Amino acid sequence: MSEAVQAMSQTNADAARETEREADPGFLWDFWYPAVRSTQIRGRKLATAMLLEVPLVLGRTSDARAFALRDSCPHRGMPLSYGRFDGQAVESCYHGWRFDACSGRCVEIPSLTSQDKLKVERIFAGHYPCAERDGYVWVYMNEPGTRLPETIPAAPALPVFSGKYKITHLACELPSHIDHGIIGLMDPAHGPFVHQSWFWRSRHSIHEKEKQFEPIPNGFRMSKHSPSTNSAPYQLLKKMTGEPVTTTIDFVLPNQRLEEIHSGKLWFSSRATVTPVRRDLCRIDFVAAWNVVFLPVPIFRMFGKTFLRQDQETMIRQAEGLKHNPQLMLIDDADRPAKWYFALKANLLESRRTGTPMVHPMAGPVTLRWRS
């Protein structure tokens, strides 16, 4: 293959990726996203994932470094995940092209002869930075056709507040665009209707609530407050410690909801991320850690699975309505967090387009009232 043909093929591939990106400008690039659980890549096993409609192949090198490549050989498009991995390089199963796992640089093309002048080292499979945190392999998804920034921020880490704690992970898929998944995640009014449970709350416990919110970088915070009196777990925690229970909830772009609960020396910390897989599919990854001794992991997982299943069933039903492109509306005050999310997202994209500082949609603390 001549270098001219190679260049033309690369141009076509870049154009295809650019068209793919423009098909859904709602994706937020240049952020970390959880791709797979760390336990999915062991030894020379390869795993696949789809993030922002980009197919990825992931693995771990012989020196235990996680890596992520675009799951497509730049030669003829064969998914690299069908190939062999020797602990250092991924080999395409079609023509044996080999790529360094941690850089994507081509290291061998078996069909070349001594007469060929093609500079193999100039060919790359798409490569994405990786980091492992909290039992996940995170992938930094930079915008197609752009260079990685000189300094990449650290991957998100779940806040913990003691040396010893329990931790668990849950996940489910939602058949919706990332925006619907996120505003469903932060919606404060659906609880009594979606999450009706004997151990949590019912629609008969609906009452007026008042919470203060404040701006934080790239997001907003429900300020520290006493949690709902109509939720039995909080009341049990208060009885166990004899001290007040407080909770703080953050939303941070592009997709994170973090919650901290404290009562005396006991604490509970959780993070939910809504990750775009395709424009019509996203995934919730939920991780929680705590030092509450009377809360065994199996019991929490049982309750947690119930919550996620209720959200999943609701989004499946909502998808039936959304496929008809109905007109939608957001109201105050219950939907104000959703309005902030859309404004944050729009202002971030505008800031990147113009190079000007991002304008936060919140000028300062705000008090919201709703019934739930």
Side-chain angles (χ1 to χ4, degrees):
M1 180 179 69
S2 70
E3 293 196 60
V5 173
Q6 173 203 332
M8 182 177 67
S9 298
Q10 188 59 49
T11 299
N12 290 341
D14 290 342
R17 286 196 288 271
E18 186 69 12
T19 300
E20 179 181 89
R21 178 183 67 84
E22 291 180 350
D24 190 345
F27 289 160
L28 286 181
W29 301 90
D30 302 306
F31 281 106
W32 290 97
Y33 291 93
V36 296
R37 289 286 311 282
S38 293
T39 53
Q40 291 179 246
I41 50 172
R42 292 179 175 175
R44 297 181 180 181
K45 178 182 178 181
L46 296 174
T48 61
M50 181 81 73
L51 296 180
L52 289 78
E53 298 192 337
V54 176
L56 301 175
V57 57
L58 301 100
R60 194 184 304 281
T61 62
S62 54
D63 56 354
R65 288 184 296 167
F67 67 85
L69 301 174
R70 187 179 180 97
D71 194 14
S72 177
C73 178
H75 178 210
R76 301 278 288 278
M78 173 63 70
L80 293 173
S81 54
Y82 288 124
R84 295 175 61 251
F85 176 53
D86 63 4
Q88 295 297 324
V90 179
E91 179 184 286
S92 171
C93 69
Y94 198 3
H95 296 91
W97 288 31
R98 301 178 73 245
F99 300 89
D100 177 74
C102 291
S103 68
R105 184 188 297 272
C106 187
V107 295
E108 182 184 0
I109 298 178
S111 61
L112 293 181
T113 70
S114 59
Q115 305 301 312
D116 286 299
K117 297 181 179 181
L118 178 64
K119 295 181 178 179
V120 172
E121 68 277 7
R122 292 187 178 181
I123 302 173
F124 286 83
H127 165 257
Y128 298 87
C130 281
E132 293 193 72
R133 297 282 192 281
D134 311 319
Y136 294 101
V137 177
W138 294 76
V139 177
Y140 187 82
M141 299 297 294
N142 61 300
E143 190 169 3
T146 66
R147 293 180 178 272
L148 286 168
E150 292 185 5
T151 302
I152 297 176
L158 179 71
V160 296
F161 304 96
S162 63
K164 294 183 178 181
Y165 54 87
K166 301 170 185 176
I167 189 168
T168 193
H169 307 77
L170 296 168
C172 73
E173 292 187 337
L174 306 177
S176 66
H177 186 273
I178 180 67
D179 286 344
H180 290 294
I182 286 178
I183 65 175
L185 185 74
M186 65 179 64
D187 172 31
H190 73 277
F193 303 94
V194 174
H195 298 300
Q196 294 182 32
S197 303
W198 64 268
F199 60 86
W200 192 244
R201 64 186 62 168
S202 72
R203 62 193 306 163
H204 300 296
S205 65
I206 294 176
H207 63 280
E208 187 167 319
K209 296 181 179 180
E210 179 180 297
K211 305 291 186 213
Q212 187 173 64
F213 291 77
E214 57 189 284
I216 59 175
N218 274 358
F220 53 86
R221 169 175 295 157
M222 183 186 291
S223 306
K224 183 183 291 187
H225 61 280
S226 297
S228 300
T229 57
N230 57 346
S231 296
Y234 297 134
Q235 299 310 307
L236 177 60
L237 185 59
K238 183 177 181 180
K239 289 181 179 179
M240 292 292 296
T241 65
E243 298 190 41
V245 180
T246 62
T247 183
T248 305
I249 301 173
D250 289 357
F251 173 78
V252 183
L253 287 177
N255 61 349
Q256 295 184 71
R257 180 192 185 275
L258 299 116
E259 183 169 4
E260 295 178 16
I261 301 170
H262 295 267
S263 182
K265 294 183 179 181
L266 300 183
W267 57 269
F268 179 93
S269 177
S270 68
R271 180 188 63 227
T273 56
V274 185
T275 297
V277 178
R278 304 188 307 263
R279 68 203 71 187
D280 62 347
L281 180 68
C282 56
R283 186 186 71 246
I284 293 181
D285 289 294
F286 179 84
V287 57
W290 64 91
N291 72 341
V292 183
V293 294
F294 61 83
L295 181 57
V297 170
I299 297 298
F300 176 81
R301 288 183 61 83
M302 180 181 67
F303 291 149
K305 287 180 179 179
T306 298
F307 268 68
L308 284 184
R309 184 170 60 251
Q310 290 168 338
D311 282 326
Q312 184 182 44
E313 291 173 351
T314 298
M315 298 301 287
I316 290 172
R317 292 170 178 174
Q318 184 188 31
E320 293 183 20
L322 292 176
K323 67 184 180 182
H324 302 294
N325 298 315
Q327 290 188 340
L328 305 177
M329 61 185 296
L330 297 174
I331 65 172
D332 280 337
D333 280 358
D335 290 332
R336 188 82 66 85
K339 294 182 179 181
W340 288 332
Y341 161 68
F342 285 116
L344 281 163
K345 185 175 177 179
N347 293 357
L348 174 65
L349 292 172
E350 180 65 11
S351 171
R352 290 178 173 178
R353 186 185 69 82
T354 62
T356 57
M358 175 179 166
V359 177
H360 201 291
M362 299 176 67
V366 176
T367 299
L368 300 183
R369 299 173 180 84
W370 67 89
R371 296 183 74 244
S372 70

